[in-house]
Amino acid sequence: MKKNIYFNHDGGVDDLISLFLLLQMDNVNLTGVSVIPADCYLEPAMFASRKIIDRFGKGGLDVAESNSRGKNPFPKDWRMHAFYVDALPLLNESGEVITRVADKPAHLHMIETLRATEGKTTLLFTGPLTDLARALDIDPTIEEKVERLVWMGGTFREEGNVHEPEHDGTAEWNAFWDPEAAARVWESGIEIDMVALESTNQVPLTLDVRDRWAKERKHIGVDFLGQCYAMVPPLVHFSTNSTYYLWDVLTTAFVGNSDLVKVQKVNSIVITEGASQGRTVETADGRPVHVVYDVDRDAFFDYMTELAKKA
Ligand code: AGV
Ligand code: CA
């Protein structure tokens, strides 16, 4: 049976590749897509999403724009990535965009889509949780329609990936952009699977992976992976602030094939104020989440590359 998936993303290279891979999964019924302007600019991320659906999907989807705003903005250099993907010749061959923009903002589009879909839906979020928090405030009864939330975000390590003034570096960026939103979702009864930095640190973009995609570029989908991952810096000597990992792609792969990873239950809270804002902390009386803390790296790269070959 196919799983219903609603996908909210923030237009990074790995968010857009996630959309592409979801469209190749036989066991997924993608019910809706929305884009939040966190780690992207909204316009190119919307166009890129619609063109990816046109080029690699089967039709029947529209894409909703989020009007949410965060507390701590992403660096501009990173937000630019959506412009590069949107400009790829592969996505502009037809010269037209068929997939439409939804008539409602993302959080209302999600409520409407959950209600209109038979049975329950898994929410896949690869950016901040702002649209989900707003949807829960407006209509908490949507919880009944949610199978679970799979979120790329958070970490229980000392070291997060936020390197910003006035912060102590313990948070992951999707949690840091809107800490209150994460805390709001933590208050809900929704089951949460958290693909944390613990596992995503194990899947950096490396040169051997790029070489593999280059060798197999005769497959249009693998060429697309190679073109997209040419835009972002790989891990060569040591990890820097801009080093790229396959954060969201691992999260999406977990939805398609949970055998790739190991999961552990942790009780936790989200810090919303001060120098550690956005940090997720383990505490005995916190709310339970399932943390993806380990991944079979080779099996993951095989899985995503094989999916891309189906395009
Ligand atoms: O913290 C990881 C999240 C993921 O959803 N994003 C990128 C992924 O889409 C923020 C981010 C952290 N470090 C980055 C990020 C970097 N070096 N480049 C771009 N985005
Ligand atoms: Ca993202």
Side-chain angles (χ1 to χ4, degrees):
M1 221 188 61
K2 289 190 180 210
K3 279 183 262 191
N4 297 322
I5 306 289
Y6 185 94
F7 183 36
N8 180 283
H9 74 78
D10 68 340
V13 165
D14 63 337
D15 297 83
L16 294 166
I17 292 293
S18 294
L19 173 59
F20 161 64
L21 293 174
L22 280 172
L23 294 168
Q24 310 312 319
M25 291 180 185
D26 295 330
N27 53 349
V28 161
N29 172 35
L30 188 58
T31 63
V33 177
S34 49
V35 182
I36 181 168
D39 196 6
C40 70
Y41 289 94
L42 189 58
E43 199 174 274
M46 284 293 296
F47 274 122
S49 300
R50 294 163 64 204
K51 290 172 188 175
I52 287 168
I53 292 168
D54 284 352
R55 184 70 182 75
F56 297 110
K58 292 182 220 51
L61 282 170
D62 52 9
V63 182
E65 295 179 315
S66 171
N67 55 13
S68 295
R69 295 292 177 263
K71 192 165 157 202
N72 300 300
F74 274 99
K76 179 180 171 180
D77 289 358
W78 299 353
R79 298 183 66 197
M80 294 293 291
H81 295 157
F83 283 101
Y84 316 146
V85 177
D86 179 44
L88 283 175
L90 175 61
L91 296 182
N92 291 280
E93 204 173 353
S94 76
E96 54 183 355
V97 186
I98 309 289
T99 296
R100 284 197 303 231
V101 179
D103 61 3
K104 289 192 175 58
H107 63 299
L108 300 181
H109 180 259
M110 184 179 70
I111 293 174
E112 184 181 77
T113 307
L114 286 172
R115 293 244 163 270
T117 304
E118 205 183 309
K120 291 191 178 190
T121 299
T122 295
L123 301 177
L124 173 61
F125 274 62
T126 58
L129 293 174
T130 317
D131 288 321
L132 177 53
R134 291 174 73 196
L136 287 168
D137 280 344
I138 290 172
D139 183 359
T141 69
I142 56 168
E143 285 191 24
E144 299 157 15
K145 296 290 288 178
V146 175
E147 178 72 35
R148 63 196 172 117
L149 165 68
V150 178
W151 182 44
M152 192 285 125
T155 183
F156 295 104
R157 294 162 40 113
E158 272 300 293
E159 206 182 321
N161 64 1
V162 172
H163 304 112
E164 291 281 305
E166 301 182 349
H167 196 269
D168 65 9
T170 55
E172 180 282 328
W173 258 104
N174 287 337
F176 177 62
W177 195 76
D178 189 350
E180 276 92 5
R184 171 66 185 88
V185 172
W186 252 238
E187 269 170 33
S188 75
I190 296 174
E191 219 179 289
I192 300 176
D193 294 337
M194 181 175 137
V195 181
L197 296 181
E198 282 78 343
S199 53
T200 63
N201 280 342
Q202 297 172 36
V203 289
L205 174 64
T206 48
L207 298 180
D208 60 307
V209 174
R210 274 195 178 159
D211 290 346
R212 171 182 185 174
W213 292 333
K215 284 213 170 59
E216 301 197 90
R217 69 179 285 271
K218 67 169 184 281
H219 303 278
I220 196 104
V222 180
D223 190 41
F224 183 54
L225 296 179
Q227 301 285 346
C228 286
Y229 281 103
M231 300 169 188
V232 290
L235 175 64
V236 184
H237 301 296
F238 57 90
S239 184
T240 72
N241 191 34
S242 54
T243 301
Y244 220 82
Y245 294 79
L246 280 84
W247 304 275
D248 299 350
V249 179
L250 176 59
T251 309
T252 304
F254 168 62
V255 166
N257 179 5
S258 59
D259 295 341
L260 298 168
V261 303
K262 289 186 192 148
V263 184
Q264 178 183 33
K265 207 185 92 177
V266 171
N267 292 330
S268 71
I269 55 159
V270 183
I271 296 180
T272 56
E273 308 265 322
S276 305
Q277 60 185 276
R279 182 178 189 177
T280 42
V281 181
E282 181 167 8
T283 31
D285 57 354
R287 80 101 80 198
V289 293
H290 307 282
V291 181
V292 172
Y293 68 94
D294 189 47
V295 53
D296 181 340
R297 184 231 177 235
D298 293 347
F300 161 71
F301 279 108
D302 287 348
Y303 175 69
M304 73 172 283
T305 306
E306 288 308 311
L307 271 179
K309 284 185 192 168
K310 291 166 54 166

